[in-house]
Amino acid sequence: MSFAPQKKQSYGADPNSIRESDKYTTEYVRGFVEKWDELIDWEERANSEGRFFIDVLKARQKQSVLDVATGTGFHSVQLLKAGFDVSSADGSAEMLAKAFENGVAHEVVLKTVHADWRWLNKDIHGKYDAIICLGNSFTHLHDEDDRRRALAEFYAALKHDGILIIDQRNYDTILDHGFSSKHKYYYCGNQVSAKPVYVDDGLARFEYSFPDGSKHNLNMFPLRKSYMRGLLRDAGFQKIHSYGDFQEEGEEKDPDFFIHVVEKEFCNE
Ligand code: SAM
C-alpha cells in the first residue's frame, strides 16, 4: 500500500468494481482535500452539531481524545478549543497536512499521527479516554476483516472505561428507499452537492460536485445500522447508544446520519 500523494483520482475503466479498503489512500488527492472544507463548511457544521460531542465527552468525564479520522481537522480543532487533550490521526498525509494548517489558522497546534486504523497501535502509543471516528469515515473499509481489525485496534487503544464515538450515513434508507438528504448535517456547504451515483449492497459510490465544475468521488461500503451495531458488540463493546442526526432515536424520522456512542465498560445509568 502506498501513502504517496496523488494529483488526480483514478478509478480505471470500471469504477464500480473498486471495492478495496486501501483505496482511500488515493481518493483524498490534493485537489479534493483543498475542496473538503467547502463541502463541509466549518461554520454551518459547528452550528448544526452544536455541543453534541463536547457534551457526550464531558458527561463521561473524558479528557484525552484520539481523533482517528482527522480529515481536515474539524473535530480535532473544536475539541482542542473546548479544552480536551486531542491527538489527531489519519491514514492520509494530505488530510493531516491540511488539518495542521487549519489548526494554525484557528490558533491551535494539532498533534498529528499518520496511521492506518488497521495497524493503529503500531503508531499510536498510550491509551485514550475516548476515540472519535466521525464524518462517515468507517465506511471506507470495504472488507469485513478490515472492519473487525480496525475496531479491535480502537478497542485496544482505549482505557478500560473508554468510549468510542463513531458515525455513519443512514445507508438503510439509501439501500431500501433511495437517496435524499436534509442537507443540514456534515456536508453543509450550500454551493456543493454530495450524492450517490451508484449503489448496491457492497458499494455506495458518491459524487461531490463543486461550484467551479470540479467533481470528485468516494467509493464506500454501505453499512447497515444493525450490522454496524453487531460489529461493535462483537469487538467487545458493552454498551451502544445510537442517535439519529444528534437526536435520541425515534425523535428524528429518517435521519441522514447515525452517531453511535459506544462504551467499553458496562455501567448502569
Ligand atoms: N472526520 C473528517 C470529517 O468529518 O470531515 C474526515 C472524514 S473523511 C470522509 C474520512 C477520513 O478517514 C479521511 O481523512 C481518510 O483519510 C480517513 N481514513 C479512511 N480510511 C482510513 C484508514 N483505514 N485508516 C486511517 N484513516 C482512514
Side-chain angles (χ1 to χ4, degrees):
M1 137 182 191
S2 153
F3 284 127
Q6 306 264 332
K7 292 208 166 56
K8 282 180 84 176
Q9 287 189 324
S10 164
Y11 291 90
D14 183 9
N16 297 341
S17 67
I18 309 291
R19 298 163 186 232
E20 291 146 20
S21 301
D22 286 346
K23 183 62 188 167
Y24 82 96
T25 59
T26 57
E27 286 180 309
Y28 292 102
V29 294
R30 184 157 306 158
F32 191 22
V33 169
E34 287 300 332
K35 296 245 171 271
W36 190 258
D37 292 332
E38 250 180 78
L39 180 67
I40 61 179
D41 188 331
W42 281 39
E43 213 178 305
E44 279 302 315
R45 190 173 180 184
N47 287 339
S48 72
E49 292 185 5
R51 289 179 51 88
F52 182 88
F53 296 112
I54 293 170
D55 289 347
V56 165
L57 292 165
K58 287 212 163 142
R60 292 162 181 79
Q61 282 119 41
K62 302 305 177 201
Q63 178 59 25
S64 62
V65 180
L66 175 63
D67 182 356
V68 289
T70 297
T72 54
F74 176 76
H75 287 107
S76 287
V77 169
Q78 306 288 321
L79 294 180
L80 277 168
K81 282 181 160 176
F84 293 93
D85 176 10
V86 184
S87 298
S88 307
D90 201 290
S92 159
E94 289 286 346
M95 280 296 210
L96 283 180
K98 185 68 189 170
F100 191 83
E101 196 185 305
N102 280 337
V104 171
H106 285 82
E107 297 177 351
V108 289
V109 177
L110 262 60
K111 285 185 271 176
T112 56
V113 188
H114 192 198
D116 188 287
W117 306 327
R118 292 164 290 173
W119 306 278
L120 187 71
N121 292 280
K122 195 159 68 66
D123 299 301
I124 298 286
H125 306 290
K127 304 254 184 199
Y128 293 84
D129 292 335
I131 290 180
I132 58 171
C133 183
L134 300 175
N136 193 37
S137 295
F138 198 70
T139 184
H140 276 292
L141 296 174
H142 288 267
D143 297 331
E144 178 159 318
D145 285 352
D146 289 329
R147 284 175 218 126
R148 292 189 184 279
R149 188 184 303 188
L151 290 179
E153 292 286 320
F154 296 169
Y155 189 93
L158 285 168
K159 292 182 186 163
H160 76 279
D161 58 350
I163 66 165
L164 167 66
I165 312 178
I166 189 163
D167 67 5
Q168 61 169 109
R169 258 191 197 277
N170 180 353
Y171 284 114
D172 291 83
T173 298
I174 297 176
L175 287 165
D176 298 337
H177 307 292
F179 178 73
S180 68
S181 168
K182 300 183 186 70
H183 201 73
K184 187 170 163 199
Y185 302 101
Y186 290 67
Y187 307 113
C188 301
N190 59 17
Q191 300 295 313
V192 297
S193 94
K195 60 175 192 325
V197 287
Y198 177 85
V199 181
D200 68 26
D201 280 344
L203 181 75
R205 178 169 164 81
F206 269 70
E207 182 180 86
Y208 304 84
S209 313
F210 297 89
D212 65 0
S214 61
K215 290 182 194 301
H216 295 276
N217 294 93
L218 291 176
N219 276 19
M220 301 181 284
F221 178 81
L223 295 158
R224 284 196 179 270
K225 180 177 155 215
S226 60
Y227 169 73
M228 184 68 207
R229 287 174 55 98
L231 286 180
L232 290 163
R233 278 217 187 284
D234 289 352
F237 290 102
Q238 296 294 309
K239 199 170 154 209
I240 305 165
H241 193 121
S242 301
Y243 297 82
D245 286 346
F246 306 100
Q247 309 293 319
E248 286 294 342
E249 276 200 280
E251 284 180 19
E252 189 72 25
K253 199 176 169 309
D254 271 338
D256 285 346
F257 295 90
F258 294 116
I259 301 108
H260 310 289
V261 177
V262 187
E263 310 200 16
K264 207 165 162 174
E265 188 182 55
F266 183 80
C267 56
N268 290 312
E269 284 187 338

